[in-house]
Amino acid sequence: MQRIVTIERFIIEKEHEIPGATGEFSKLLTDIALAAKIVWREVSKAGLVDIIGSTGKVNVSGDVVQKLDEFANEIFINVMQKGGHLCVMASEESKGLIEIPDELAKGKYVLVFDPLDGSSNIDVNVSIGSIFGIFRRVTQSGKGTEEDVLQPGRNLVAAGYVVYGSSTILVYTTGNGVHGFTLDPSIGEFLLSHENIRIPKKGDIYSVNEGYYERWDENMKKFINYLKAEDKATGRPYKLRYVGTLVADFHRTLLYGGIFMYPGDSKNPEGKLRLIYEAAPLAYVVEKAGGRASNGFQNILDIKPTSLHQRTPLFIGSEEDVKLAEKFLQGKAED
Ligand code: P6P
C-alpha cells in the first residue's frame, strides 16, 4: 500500500532536503494548494449554483469571462496576497499587475497564474484547470514591477497545474522531480498519488485542433500528415486526442507521452495560448519530467516575454516528438 502523504507533509519533507531552506517557499506552495481546494469546491458544484455561465464580460485576451473564471481569479488573489511571500502577481484574467496591498507584508517571490483554464468547457462538464508559476523577484525591494513578471521560463523556481476532472489532481515541481497529488474530497486533502512523474521519450498520441488545418502553413500540414500515415516501424499512425482544455490535454501527454500542439496559423500567427500563464509554466513542468516544449523554433523556456499577455505557438510533450515537430516546422524533415 502506497504511503499516505499529504501535499503539505511532502512539501515539508522536500524542504528539509534543501540546506538553508527558510520555509517561505513551502508556505507559498501550501497556499497554492489551499486556493486550489477552494476553486475545486466551487467547480465541483458549478452545475448546482448560479455561478455557471458567462458574466457577459470579455477579458484582456478577448475571451468571454465565465463566472467561475472571475471567482477563481479572486480566490487565488485573496489567498495568495496574504501569505507575505509575494512582491507582485500577474494573472491571465487580470489586465495589469496585481499589487500586494500596502498594509500586507511582501516577500521575494512572484506568482503568475491562469486561474481557470478551459473555462469554455465549464458548461458541458469537461475537465478544466489552473496553471501557476513562481519566480524569484529581480527588483531589489518594495512593490514588484513588470520586470519581475517578464522573466523567461528558465528563471522559474516552481510551476504546476491543477486538473479539475473525474478526480482533481495537483501536479507541481520545484526543479527536483515532478509530483502529483489527488484530492480526497472526504478529508479535503491532496494525497501523493504520482511521485516523480517521467514523460515517455516518445509517444503515439498527437493532440491538436485539426479544424484549423486549412489555416496552417505547409510544414505544419506535412507534420500532421506524417503522424497520420501508416508505418508500423515508427509507430504510426498516431492516435488523435483533443479535449479542448490545455491542462487536460497536457496532463494526458505528461503521463502517456506524445505531443500537444497549438500552432500559429494564418489567422493567429502567434496562436492562442499565453506565454507567461500557460506555456512557460507547463514547459518548466515537462522539462523537469524529461520532456520538451518549443514554439517550433525556440525552447519556450528561453523566450523572454515583452508584454504581460503575449501569446506563443506551443509544441509540448515527449522530447523525440517535439524535436521531430521542430524539424518539420523548420523545413528540415524528409516526409
Ligand atoms: P480551441 C481553452 O479555451 C483554451 O484556452 C485552452 O485551454 C485550450 O487548449 C484551447 O483554448 C482550445 O482552443 O481553439 O481548440 O477551441
Side-chain angles (χ1 to χ4, degrees):
M1 178 182 177
Q2 180 166 349
R3 64 191 182 111
I4 297 175
V5 181
T6 64
I7 189 169
E8 291 82 3
R9 165 57 53 198
F10 188 86
I11 290 170
I12 290 169
E13 284 177 2
K14 288 295 178 184
E15 175 198 317
H16 291 159
E17 292 172 9
I18 302 168
T22 63
E24 190 179 3
F25 193 47
S26 300
K27 293 188 191 104
L28 183 53
L29 289 170
T30 301
D31 289 347
I32 288 172
L34 173 60
K37 288 182 200 175
I38 298 171
V39 170
W40 165 80
R41 184 186 61 195
E42 296 309 314
V43 165
S44 57
K45 62 184 181 184
L48 306 175
V49 295
D50 181 33
I51 57 173
I52 202 164
S54 167
T55 60
K57 297 177 206 166
V58 170
N59 69 13
V60 64
S61 300
D63 296 333
V64 171
V65 178
Q66 300 279 355
K67 290 177 184 172
L68 268 176
D69 276 305
E70 264 183 11
F71 173 83
N73 200 41
E74 286 160 20
I75 288 299
F76 271 93
I77 293 169
N78 187 298
V79 168
M80 300 311 296
Q81 71 180 2
K82 292 190 171 69
H85 317 303
L86 299 171
C87 66
V88 70
M89 290 185 264
S91 165
E92 188 243 336
E93 283 301 324
S94 301
K95 185 169 187 190
L97 296 180
I98 301 164
E99 295 188 355
I100 307 302
D102 291 341
E103 67 275 15
L104 294 178
K106 290 163 192 58
K108 62 186 176 189
Y109 295 105
V110 178
L111 177 70
V112 296
F113 62 99
D114 179 357
L116 208 60
D117 164 64
S119 50
S120 53
N121 286 318
I122 291 172
D123 295 1
V124 291
N125 202 31
V126 169
S127 297
I128 51 182
S130 303
I131 306 170
F132 64 90
I134 299 170
F135 293 103
R136 279 199 189 81
R137 70 180 304 168
V138 292
T139 55
Q140 292 312 309
S141 60
K143 287 189 175 183
T145 67
E146 269 205 3
E147 185 187 356
D148 291 305
V149 175
L150 298 180
Q151 297 188 52
R154 194 67 69 194
N155 291 4
L156 284 163
V157 292
Y161 61 89
V162 186
V163 185
Y164 309 99
S166 51
S167 60
T168 291
I169 294 181
L170 189 156
V171 175
Y172 85 89
T173 179
T174 58
N176 300 313
V178 176
H179 311 292
F181 302 80
T182 300
L183 183 64
D184 179 338
S186 66
I187 56 173
E189 291 284 5
F190 278 110
L191 302 180
L192 181 64
S193 54
H194 301 70
E195 187 167 6
N196 201 23
I197 298 170
R198 302 295 294 171
I199 186 171
K201 281 298 174 193
K202 182 182 183 301
D204 64 358
I205 300 171
Y206 76 103
S207 186
V208 69
N209 187 336
E210 285 213 43
Y212 303 141
Y213 182 88
E214 289 309 326
R215 295 180 186 172
W216 296 339
D217 71 22
E218 287 311 308
N219 288 332
M220 179 66 194
K221 290 179 179 178
K222 276 183 189 170
F223 180 50
I224 297 301
N225 295 333
Y226 171 85
L227 293 178
K228 295 163 81 168
E230 194 78 40
D231 179 83
K232 277 197 183 345
T234 51
R236 291 180 287 148
Y238 276 33
K239 294 184 281 287
L240 171 59
R241 295 285 184 274
Y242 194 73
V243 175
T245 294
L246 168 61
V247 174
D249 282 315
F250 176 75
H251 185 62
R252 182 203 54 250
T253 305
L254 184 70
L255 297 186
Y256 288 178
I259 183 169
F260 170 86
M261 297 169 269
Y262 205 108
D265 61 33
S266 56
K267 192 160 180 283
N268 301 296
E270 291 308 306
K272 176 180 183 182
L273 303 177
R274 287 76 167 186
L275 173 60
I276 294 174
Y277 313 107
E278 295 170 310
L282 297 183
Y284 184 80
V285 171
V286 82
E287 189 158 296
K288 297 305 178 186
R292 180 176 175 81
S294 169
N295 65 2
F297 298 84
Q298 183 181 13
N299 191 309
I300 291 288
L301 294 177
D302 295 329
I303 302 174
K304 188 184 183 317
T306 52
S307 68
L308 286 178
H309 293 280
Q310 77 184 65
R311 299 171 192 266
T312 177
L314 179 63
F315 299 81
I316 189 167
S318 296
E319 185 178 32
E320 286 184 29
D321 293 317
V322 174
K323 283 184 173 174
L324 184 62
E326 290 174 303
K327 277 180 75 174
F328 271 89
L329 290 161
Q330 294 168 26
K332 296 173 184 168
E334 304 75 48
D335 290 14

